[in-house]
Amino acid sequence: MEYLTKEIKKLISSHAKEESPNECCGIIVELNKLYKLIKCENVARNKKNDFKIKAEDYLTATRLGDIIAYYHSHVEDEVGRFSLADAKISRAHEIPLVMYSMRDDNFLIFKN
């Protein structure tokens, strides 16, 4: 995926470290063929094992460009993989979901 540039990966991994032990979350937008990362507040009840993007952050992202993907981190997974909830979110919004596994220092992309 062309939007998952070295710089975007670096920003996501940095965001994940800032939010650890909670999951981080955010949105990647495109404007004029440039990609920008929007850090979002995780408002999930169980931030260590789930993410939910704050509605105001989503609205901000829509004003800044076209939403290309969501992203979030998994902090403690033994095997970096998408949860059923992750897949449901991606399918419902018809937008790819990027996951950064802190344990494996690896990125995965779920596309519907």
Side-chain angles (χ1 to χ4, degrees):
M1 299 288 115
E2 64 183 32
Y3 58 83
L4 204 53
T5 64
K6 275 186 174 181
E7 182 62 25
I8 293 290
K9 286 180 177 180
K10 183 178 175 183
L11 291 169
I12 291 172
S13 66
S14 175
H15 187 199
K17 291 170 186 163
E18 289 170 18
E19 298 295 327
S20 182
N22 296 328
E23 290 190 8
C24 75
C25 60
I27 300 171
I28 301 169
V29 298
E30 178 196 7
L31 182 60
N32 300 322
K33 298 190 181 192
L34 295 175
Y35 300 105
K36 180 178 173 103
L37 184 110
I38 310 298
K39 292 180 184 180
C40 298
E41 182 180 343
N42 183 353
V43 293
R45 288 182 189 229
N46 181 358
K47 293 174 178 57
K48 290 185 180 184
N49 297 306
D50 197 9
F51 80 96
K52 181 178 178 184
I53 293 174
K54 185 176 178 181
E56 291 86 353
D57 291 341
Y58 179 83
L59 289 173
T60 296
T62 62
R63 292 181 184 123
L64 294 175
D66 295 326
I67 294 177
I68 300 300
Y70 299 103
Y71 74 86
H72 75 296
S73 61
H74 282 195
V75 180
E76 297 285 330
D77 275 358
E78 289 184 25
V79 179
R81 63 176 174 256
F82 291 97
S83 68
L84 293 175
D86 292 340
K88 184 177 178 181
I89 289 167
S90 180
R91 286 185 184 119
H93 295 278
E94 298 181 346
I95 295 174
L97 178 62
V98 174
M99 185 207 33
Y100 173 64
S101 171
M102 290 184 66
R103 181 178 174 142
D104 300 333
D105 190 30
N106 190 35
F107 289 86
L108 298 172
I109 301 171
F110 183 91
K111 295 189 303 183
N112 31 345

